[in-house]
Amino acid sequence: MSEYYRHRLRQLQSLLEPGLRRMLFISFLLHLIVPVILSGVLIATHRTPKVPVYRVNLVNKPVKNPRAGRPDAAPTKKKKKKVVKKKVAAKTIPLKKKKTAKKSVAKKTTPVVKKKKPPVKKVKLDKTAETDLQKRIAEMQARAERQKKLDRIKAALAAQRAELGKPDVQAPVGEPDGKGDEIGISSITKIKGIITENWRLSQYQLPSLELQAEVKVIYSKEGKMRSWEFIDKSGNSFFDESLRKAIVKSKDIGETLPVAGTFEIVFNLKDLQNR
Amino acid sequence: MRRIQSLLLVVALLVPLSAQAVRIEISAPGEQTIPLALTRFLPMDDASKSVATEIDQVLNADLDLSGLFELADRAAFLSDAEKLGLHSTQVDFAQWRLLGVDAVVKGGYRLEGDQLVVEARLYDVITQRLLTGRRYVGSPGDERRIAHSFADQIMLALTGKKGPFNSRLAYISTRSGHKELYLMEVDGHNPIRLTDHRSIVLDPDFSPVRKEITFTSYKHANPDLYRKEIYTGREARLSQRPGLNTGGRYSPDGSEVVVTLSKGNNSDIYLLGTDGTIHKRLTKHWGIDVAPSWSPDGDRVAFVSDRRGNPHLFIVDIASLKVVRLTFEGKYNATPDWSPTGDWIVFTRRTEGQFDIFMIRPDGSGEHRLTFGPGTKEHPRFSPDGRFLVYSLDLNGEKSIHVIRTDGTGDRRLSAPGGNDTHPAWSGHWQ
Amino acid sequence: MDLVLQAGPIVKLVLLVLLYFSLVSWGIIFYKFKTIQQAIRESERFLDFFWEKKRFDVIGQGVKDFTQTPLAILFREGYHELLQLKKQNRPEAARELSADLGGLGNVSRALRRATTQETQRLEKYLTFLATTGSTAPFIGLFGTVWGIMDAFHGIGQTGSASLAVVAPGISEALVATAIGLAAAIPAVMGYNHFLNKVNLLIGEMDNFSQEFLNIVERMERS
């Protein structure tokens, strides 16, 4: 039995032969690469469009904040504004500060300080008073200037903000001015949900289910009903009375509407007929 | 000129476009019940509390049976429930609105000498108006009648049609050991035995104009037709012809009775005067014709006949005597009853070994089944307002009277256990 | 990837096991591919070298260059045994060995031992491939069945049975079977391939042993 043979035997008995370890490592790397390649290929080939999140209103109750809990939800608007503000502020304000500071320093300190330092303390009170006055005037001037500039910045900011604020970012896509990336609860759905919920009518009250009436309702942006009127009555007093109650109960939506305005609501009993 | 016109036209077209309102269609109410708060009636003096309990029970049962209401939970009632509010200014509607109810029933009672006075009100919570109010004066013990009557008023105020609660049901029961005629309230209370024939009494029907019942009895061995005044107890034989004198039904004006007579051989439908004379023979056929029922306009009579083999429903026109076949399905159709509104005929049909209740329109359309539970259902009859049906259920050998809404919901048992109760008949509105 | 991440814990465990199988079997496939390929190539070279030189002492010195082929091991063992015999028994008269067939027997045994060892060496790790090939699909299937069970349980609880509810659970579960198959197929292919090659080498080793013994015998006789 040669030395080499023993060596081979030892290798044979060992769990991992020396070469195998390297191969296992290569295999491991390959396995790491596979999902990366797969997912990369998948993403590259069909980049799936962002699926809009539909919130289904199960209880006829509009969801108060349909995008609550989503990281990209409400704060988008605020963030944008903040960023703009900071940028503007960062650019403009310090510049002015520096300028004013320099000016004032130049005006007051260079001449004043020299005079001030040695004698002022005890002897020349009037001079200190004078310098004080000068200093104060300079300060006031500087402040006024700063204030002016601040005002200008504020105006610019306000203008910017107004421009930004125009598209209602929170309004969902279904709205005319909606820029959100989801389909949320529109005013129509909200109003429909609330009035439907408040409409209580039993078919036992009616001689027939083929009734229809139309009501015009005007809501303010705060969700308050401004006015309402019947456009078309059904002719059945109980049906009409139930509508009157439903409308009266829905006088306050309780939250602001993305879009205010006039709504023509048609009431009928088609869903009951089909049963 | 023409240019201006066309310009105006364009403007006229554009203006409504720009100002177009959003249209919303709501095609069903959120709930098909009216939320109603039923407060306990309050004593206006030291009258006994049991009056309130009785009224409360009756109103609760009647309003529940109507299927119209969602009764608000008493536990949620606020302080206004403890206040007697007999005028709309005395009711704190805000409290009721908070509970989400549309209407509230309030009431009080007192004893004036030996008279019971009950004041009852139904308010609309949303519009804060009085919908209906009644003062009832009766003797102590009339609480149930008063409550039934007010339930009818509530129905009238909210549907435009009086409820059937203050009426009576006649039925046949074996409580005394024989099949006798009984009378009870629509919720099954206060059953009274009317006959003492110690034989077999069958198939009662109320007169629409008098407090009178017609029925068939075997008192004199032959099935004869009787009429009986309910309060005086006077009784007379209307028809005692040999063979069948059954299925008597008063005409809608109460002046005639339609009946099945066999006169010793084949049974046919006849029209009798209230004195028992034959006015007209409606059918003349070798088949067996039974179980007539008037249309509410009194022009036609529905009946059952086996002239086409199996028992089916037919309608005969009284003036022309033309017979039209109504049902074509099923192997055995029986006991038709024409609704007071005229748009439905209810009948029973044997399906899967038992009878169940079906409805069909008089023109033969809209046939559908109402009952699906176990047991044989027989003798369906409409309530005077056409909203309910009463029938007898034969389940596990026990027969009982049940009431059900005409859409097949709200089934409940009326008669107390222990009697084989069959052949119900609903009276007209009972004053 | 989402499919895997959303799966339940049991399915995840199954996937982990399958990953382990796949990882190791691929490692083995690479390793075996390399070693067996080398062994075959070197065997050819060694045989050329062997028949070219024909002298054991020369070959015995040159054999150190051949580390991968089992034939070189056989030769080493046989030669080592031969030298051992010569040294022990009759170092002064190796020629008489021919009469003693026992010496030849020793060489033969040494060769057989080396053959066995080298066979074992060549077949080492192949059992793992066989195991992977036969069990990975079942493990995957187990994960799938478990995942589907989970999915249906969830459906039962929500009460909704629309395809939209059923499909994600099932597709998550099916990932397990897919990965199981993905692990098993190369393992089975590799196993069959390597077994074939190993048999080839074993045949070569047997042939070489016979040739070696023949040469020794001839040497002794002459």
Side-chain angles (χ1 to χ4, degrees):
Chain A
M1 236 192 273
S2 66
E3 214 30 54
Y4 188 73
Y5 179 85
R6 284 204 190 125
H7 173 67
R8 297 281 277 197
L9 190 66
R10 242 175 284 127
Q11 274 191 7
L12 184 66
Q13 279 159 354
S14 71
L15 181 66
L16 290 174
E17 287 179 16
L20 180 65
R21 201 163 297 182
R22 216 173 68 225
M23 289 305 170
L24 280 178
F25 182 67
I26 290 171
S27 161
F28 176 70
L29 285 182
L30 274 178
H31 278 79
L32 272 186
I33 289 167
V34 164
V36 171
I37 288 172
L38 274 180
S39 58
V41 164
L42 281 177
I43 287 167
T45 48
H46 36 102
R47 184 177 287 275
T48 45
K50 209 172 174 189
V51 181
V53 180
Y54 292 87
R55 285 197 170 64
V56 181
N57 172 4
L58 292 175
V59 215
N60 282 334
K61 275 178 184 157
V63 181
K64 276 197 176 155
N65 183 2
R67 286 185 288 168
R70 278 179 61 112
D72 59 335
T76 45
K77 196 175 164 186
K78 284 178 194 166
K79 262 185 198 165
K80 270 184 191 169
K81 274 182 189 169
K82 270 180 193 166
V83 167
V84 170
K85 221 189 235 171
K86 272 179 195 163
K87 267 183 191 165
V88 173
K91 270 179 194 166
T92 46
I93 291 176
L95 268 176
K96 265 129 228 176
K97 268 184 184 167
K98 269 177 200 166
K99 272 182 193 168
T100 52
K102 269 178 191 168
K103 273 178 193 169
S104 59
V105 166
K107 273 179 188 170
K108 49 189 170 167
T109 47
T110 38
V112 169
V113 168
K114 275 173 191 168
K115 285 173 188 171
K116 225 195 223 173
K117 266 185 183 173
V120 162
K121 279 180 185 172
K122 291 165 193 173
V123 198
K124 290 193 173 177
L125 279 169
D126 51 350
K127 261 199 178 175
T128 55
E130 205 182 325
T131 49
D132 254 7
L133 205 77
Q134 268 186 336
K135 213 197 270 179
R136 232 177 276 163
I137 289 167
E139 259 176 359
M140 272 167 72
Q141 274 177 341
R143 209 178 293 156
E145 215 170 317
R146 211 181 301 160
Q147 189 61 46
K148 234 186 260 170
K149 271 174 189 164
L150 259 176
D151 285 346
R152 232 179 293 151
I153 293 161
K154 269 183 190 166
L157 240 178
Q160 252 177 333
R161 197 178 299 169
E163 212 171 299
L164 261 180
K166 258 179 202 164
D168 192 345
V169 183
Q170 271 186 326
V173 168
E175 297 299 325
D177 52 356
K179 287 275 165 68
D181 56 353
E182 320 178 0
I183 290 161
I185 301 291
S186 71
S187 340
I188 297 174
T189 323
K190 250 183 215 168
I191 291 172
K192 184 176 175 178
I194 285 180
I195 295 182
T196 308
E197 200 187 344
N198 285 333
W199 183 22
R200 303 291 289 259
L201 178 67
S202 169
Q203 54 176 326
Y204 300 125
Q205 288 177 281
L206 306 170
S208 111
L209 294 178
E210 281 166 18
L211 294 168
Q212 177 155 320
E214 207 172 328
V215 178
K216 189 162 95 180
V217 185
I218 299 172
Y219 276 106
S220 71
K221 211 162 167 81
E222 291 76 45
K224 302 267 192 292
M225 194 186 290
R226 287 232 184 87
S227 70
W228 71 278
E229 61 176 331
F230 272 106
I231 297 174
D232 187 18
K233 287 202 177 188
S234 69
N236 181 299
S237 60
F238 295 101
F239 187 83
D240 293 341
E241 188 60 29
S242 74
L243 299 188
R244 184 192 305 277
K245 283 183 201 165
I247 300 286
V248 170
K249 278 200 263 183
S250 317
K251 278 219 155 143
D252 192 350
I253 298 286
E255 54 188 288
T256 57
L257 290 172
V259 177
T262 310
F263 300 89
E264 284 175 11
I265 306 173
V266 179
F267 291 91
N268 56 36
L269 299 168
K270 277 182 191 158
D271 281 3
L272 301 188
Q273 286 169 26
N274 297 337
R275 274 183 211 166
Chain B
M1 191 60 199
R2 183 161 293 177
R3 197 173 288 174
I4 293 172
Q5 265 186 352
S6 59
L7 203 76
L8 276 177
L9 194 74
V10 167
V11 169
L13 280 174
L14 281 179
V15 163
L17 271 181
S18 57
Q20 201 179 29
V22 184
R23 266 179 90 83
I24 301 175
E25 182 175 355
I26 299 179
S27 49
E31 290 284 342
Q32 285 195 62
T33 50
I34 299 169
L36 176 97
L38 175 63
T39 65
R40 262 183 93 88
F41 281 37
L42 300 166
M44 292 187 281
D45 56 8
D46 51 350
S48 77
K49 290 269 202 294
S50 65
V51 177
T53 313
E54 197 90 354
I55 291 175
D56 204 49
Q57 272 176 8
V58 173
L59 276 179
N60 229 317
D62 287 353
L63 297 182
D64 185 40
L65 177 60
S66 76
L68 203 63
F69 304 102
E70 176 197 330
L71 293 179
D73 185 6
R74 284 248 161 102
F77 285 5
L78 302 169
S79 62
D80 193 62
E82 303 299 324
K83 276 192 338 205
L84 190 74
L86 295 181
H87 193 270
S88 56
T89 54
Q90 297 167 336
V91 182
D92 186 358
F93 287 109
Q95 283 188 11
W96 297 111
R97 192 126 174 218
L98 211 63
L99 293 182
V101 295
D102 276 7
V104 58
V105 173
K106 304 200 80 174
Y109 56 91
R110 63 174 181 275
L111 283 171
E112 272 178 14
D114 57 351
Q115 278 188 323
L116 175 70
V117 179
V118 177
E119 299 266 8
R121 301 284 184 271
L122 173 68
Y123 294 109
D124 186 326
V125 172
I126 309 300
T127 57
Q128 314 202 343
R129 283 188 299 123
L130 177 74
L131 286 175
T132 187
R134 279 283 187 282
R135 166 184 288 178
Y136 298 94
V137 181
S139 48
D142 281 346
E143 303 93 67
R144 298 191 64 86
R145 266 183 56 205
I146 290 169
H148 280 307
S149 183
F150 190 62
D152 284 351
Q153 281 301 320
I154 291 174
M155 297 286 277
L156 177 66
L158 290 173
T159 68
K161 202 157 74 171
K162 222 172 155 183
F165 301 118
N166 193 24
S167 54
R168 296 290 186 278
L169 294 176
Y171 62 104
I172 308 299
S173 179
T174 57
R175 277 158 216 277
S176 66
H178 297 282
K179 287 195 167 185
E180 303 279 12
L181 180 64
Y182 282 73
L183 196 68
M184 64 179 176
E185 291 177 16
V186 288
D187 53 4
H189 279 81
N190 297 334
I192 312 161
R193 184 157 58 87
L194 292 182
T195 59
D196 191 16
H197 288 193
R198 298 165 195 274
S199 164
I200 296 173
V201 177
L202 288 172
D203 212 0
D205 187 51
F206 282 94
S207 162
V209 290
R210 283 184 293 276
K211 298 257 185 312
E212 191 180 287
I213 293 180
T214 178
F215 57 87
T216 300
S217 172
Y218 282 76
K219 190 179 181 184
H220 296 282
N222 188 52
D224 297 332
L225 193 70
Y226 286 71
R227 54 184 273 207
K228 186 179 180 83
E229 288 178 2
I230 293 167
Y231 285 120
T232 61
R234 277 191 302 205
E235 196 175 287
R237 268 198 280 183
L238 201 60
S239 172
Q240 46 190 338
R241 294 168 179 87
L244 294 173
N245 300 267
T246 60
R249 295 282 187 274
Y250 284 101
S251 67
D253 62 2
S255 62
E256 287 178 312
V257 176
V258 66
V259 72
T260 304
L261 299 179
S262 66
K263 295 206 262 181
N265 44 58
N266 183 36
S267 62
D268 275 311
I269 311 290
Y270 290 78
L271 217 54
L272 302 185
T274 46
D275 56 354
T277 56
I278 293 178
H279 282 186
K280 197 166 189 178
R281 180 170 181 175
L282 295 184
T283 64
K284 191 172 183 180
H285 199 278
W286 52 264
I288 297 169
D289 302 335
V290 291
S293 174
W294 288 91
S295 72
D297 55 13
D299 291 342
R300 290 180 291 172
V301 168
F303 64 97
V304 177
S305 172
D306 67 351
R307 58 183 68 190
R308 293 279 183 274
N310 289 325
H312 274 290
L313 260 53
F314 293 82
I315 295 176
V316 60
D317 187 279
I318 290 170
S320 65
L321 295 186
K322 229 172 81 183
V323 175
V324 185
R325 182 169 176 183
L326 188 62
T327 61
F328 292 86
E329 304 277 319
K331 290 245 165 80
Y332 200 116
N333 301 291
T335 59
D337 190 46
W338 211 310
S339 83
T341 50
D343 47 0
W344 290 103
I345 292 171
V346 67
F347 63 98
T348 57
R349 169 179 293 165
R350 195 167 62 204
T351 51
E352 299 139 20
Q354 66 179 40
F355 279 92
D356 266 298
I357 297 175
F358 286 71
M359 295 235 284
I360 191 168
R361 290 190 186 278
D363 60 4
S365 66
E367 185 180 288
H368 63 276
R369 183 173 171 177
L370 280 190
T371 58
F372 294 88
T376 271
K377 296 96 182 168
E378 285 178 299
H379 313 298
R381 300 290 293 269
F382 276 101
S383 67
D385 58 351
R387 270 194 274 241
F388 305 101
L389 290 168
V390 67
Y391 67 91
S392 66
L393 173 70
D394 182 355
L395 183 61
N396 305 329
E398 195 202 358
K399 294 173 180 164
S400 55
I401 309 289
H402 282 241
V403 67
I404 189 171
R405 292 195 275 270
T406 47
D407 59 359
T409 60
D411 190 304
R412 66 168 67 175
R413 182 180 171 141
L414 294 182
S415 62
N420 272 327
D421 303 331
T422 56
H423 289 93
W426 210 314
S427 78
H429 291 294
W430 202 263
Q431 297 309 320
Chain C
M1 281 313 278
D2 289 349
L3 286 179
V4 177
L5 296 177
Q6 282 163 11
I10 296 287
V11 179
K12 269 186 189 153
L13 189 75
V14 164
L15 291 180
L16 224 62
V17 170
L18 288 175
L19 188 72
Y20 166 77
F21 270 108
S22 173
L23 215 136
V24 175
S25 61
W26 273 103
I28 289 167
I29 287 167
F30 292 145
Y31 177 68
K32 278 288 155 191
F33 186 76
K34 187 177 147 223
T35 50
I36 288 179
Q37 210 63 23
Q38 276 177 344
I40 289 170
R41 224 178 300 134
E42 268 193 26
S43 295
E44 281 168 19
R45 258 179 59 217
F46 177 76
L47 282 178
D48 287 347
F49 173 74
F50 183 80
W51 292 118
E52 191 190 336
K53 296 294 183 246
K54 286 184 182 160
R55 284 190 52 191
F56 278 15
D57 49 346
V58 178
I59 297 168
Q61 273 164 2
V63 81
K64 288 195 174 71
D65 296 342
F66 302 93
T67 51
Q68 301 298 328
T69 172
L71 302 187
I73 316 289
L74 291 192
F75 176 81
R76 274 175 191 242
E77 283 308 298
Y79 187 55
H80 182 79
E81 194 62 38
L82 207 65
L83 289 182
Q84 220 58 357
L85 280 171
K86 281 178 182 168
K87 254 186 246 165
Q88 274 175 11
N89 296 354
R90 313 236 176 109
E92 71 285 348
R95 291 184 132 261
E96 291 180 24
L97 192 89
S98 60
D100 188 358
L101 281 170
L104 205 60
N106 272 4
V107 174
S108 160
R109 272 195 292 280
L111 284 174
R112 218 179 301 142
R113 196 182 62 221
T115 306
T116 314
Q117 196 207 335
E118 284 308 304
T119 306
Q120 275 179 2
R121 191 186 162 79
L122 285 170
E123 285 179 348
K124 193 179 176 186
Y125 299 131
L126 285 188
T127 46
F128 188 88
L129 289 186
T131 309
T132 303
S134 54
T135 58
F138 290 113
I139 294 171
L141 199 64
F142 168 74
T144 296
V145 169
W146 193 275
I148 289 179
M149 251 161 61
D150 244 19
F152 278 110
H153 187 67
I155 289 158
Q157 278 181 337
T158 54
S160 162
S162 74
L163 198 62
V165 176
V166 186
I170 290 177
S171 87
E172 273 164 31
L174 285 175
V175 164
T177 306
I179 290 182
L181 290 175
I185 290 168
V188 171
M189 284 169 72
Y191 177 73
N192 288 335
H193 175 78
F194 295 135
L195 207 62
N196 187 27
K197 296 284 179 209
V198 166
N199 281 336
L200 216 78
L201 282 171
I202 291 172
E204 202 117 19
M205 284 196 290
D206 283 341
N207 288 347
F208 182 77
S209 308
Q210 298 306 322
E211 293 292 345
F212 190 88
L213 285 176
N214 282 349
I215 290 168
V216 171
E217 210 172 345
R218 236 180 283 140
M219 237 161 57
E220 299 308 319
R221 256 185 221 144
S222 62

